[in-house]
Amino acid sequence: PVNLIDLYILTADYSTDYINWLRDLTGTFVEPTPPISSSLEIAYSELNNYKAVSDTLIYNPAKFKPLFGDKADESLQATFKVVKNPQINISDSEIKSKVLAYINSYFDTTNWDFGETFYFTELATYIQQSMTPYVSSIIIVPNSSNQVYGSLQQITSLPNEILISAATVENIEIITSITAAQLNLQNSVVNTIIN
């Protein structure tokens, strides 16, 4: 073969099982494993009919890259801090559930391709526009004390990864204003950089 063609395949069954595990708060679901290359090659063998003789197709399973919640890598865990409009009568729990619904909608797998980059400004704009006039502002603050505010403004993924949110309502906090304390600017990393 002259040309090696990498195919990244996300099956519907694996996607559904993974999202069910990600959203499960009871601990009853087990993290699914992606299908193996040989099973993908068998399931999608008809694709060989469309390749040139000099081509070889390599079937690779897709992987998810969870963000924000407890099921994400520690360096990707974060808290969304939402400033609600004090002029509007709405409960904190209602705002949290609506923000979470918009985050999950934003990270729907049909909205993402393999290897895409997440930009927080796009998510923040989407949430603020969708929740006008209830929300005044939203920021994202890393949970790790080894990271500074702004560390998660942009998150990249590998060519075989699709970004997905693992956030829960526990990752959303309602605040009255954005202050240095809300941005975690008192952590040791920031103080070391400034000094």
Side-chain angles (χ1 to χ4, degrees):
V2 175
N3 299 314
L4 299 176
I5 301 172
D6 275 309
L7 300 176
Y8 298 110
I9 300 174
L10 177 64
T11 64
D13 289 343
Y14 174 65
S15 178
T16 301
D17 292 346
Y18 193 90
I19 291 170
N20 288 338
W21 168 77
L22 205 59
R23 305 279 185 262
D24 175 42
L25 301 176
T26 64
T28 55
F29 287 88
V30 177
E31 182 178 2
T33 55
I36 58 174
S37 296
S38 58
S39 66
L40 291 173
E41 187 173 357
I42 292 167
Y44 296 94
S45 61
E46 70 275 0
L47 294 176
N48 287 318
N49 298 330
Y50 301 100
K51 68 176 185 71
V53 175
S54 60
D55 295 343
T56 296
L57 301 180
I58 301 171
Y59 298 84
N60 300 291
K63 291 175 56 179
F64 283 105
K65 184 174 186 171
L67 309 175
F68 316 127
D70 291 340
K71 293 181 179 176
D73 183 87
E74 189 177 330
S75 65
L76 299 173
Q77 294 179 14
T79 300
F80 293 93
K81 298 193 178 188
V82 180
V83 179
K84 78 174 185 178
N85 184 346
Q87 308 299 319
I88 304 293
N89 189 17
I90 187 171
S91 70
D92 289 359
S93 60
E94 191 174 352
I95 286 183
K96 286 181 178 185
S97 65
K98 285 180 180 287
V99 168
L100 182 61
Y102 285 119
I103 291 170
N104 289 339
S105 172
Y106 182 84
F107 281 98
D108 186 287
T109 55
T110 59
N111 297 334
W112 294 86
D113 282 328
F114 298 107
E116 277 198 82
T117 300
F118 161 72
Y119 299 98
F120 175 71
T121 52
E122 293 175 359
L123 174 60
T125 301
Y126 171 66
I127 293 171
Q128 285 179 242
Q129 286 179 346
S130 301
M131 294 197 64
T132 300
Y134 306 108
V135 170
S136 302
S137 186
I138 183 168
I139 58 173
I140 187 171
V141 179
N143 290 350
S144 172
S145 61
N146 295 328
Q147 292 177 297
V148 296
Y149 172 74
S151 300
L152 299 177
Q153 295 291 316
Q154 180 177 327
I155 301 171
T156 57
S157 61
L158 297 174
N160 66 329
E161 291 179 325
I162 292 181
L163 299 171
I164 191 165
S165 172
T168 66
V169 290
E170 302 299 320
N171 302 106
I172 301 167
E173 182 182 332
I174 307 300
I175 59 175
T176 55
S177 63
I178 299 173
T179 64
Q182 297 296 345
L183 299 176
N184 285 352
L185 295 181
Q186 73 279 10
N187 75 30
S188 59
V189 173
V190 174
N191 291 331
T192 303
I193 292 171
I194 292 172
N195 294 334

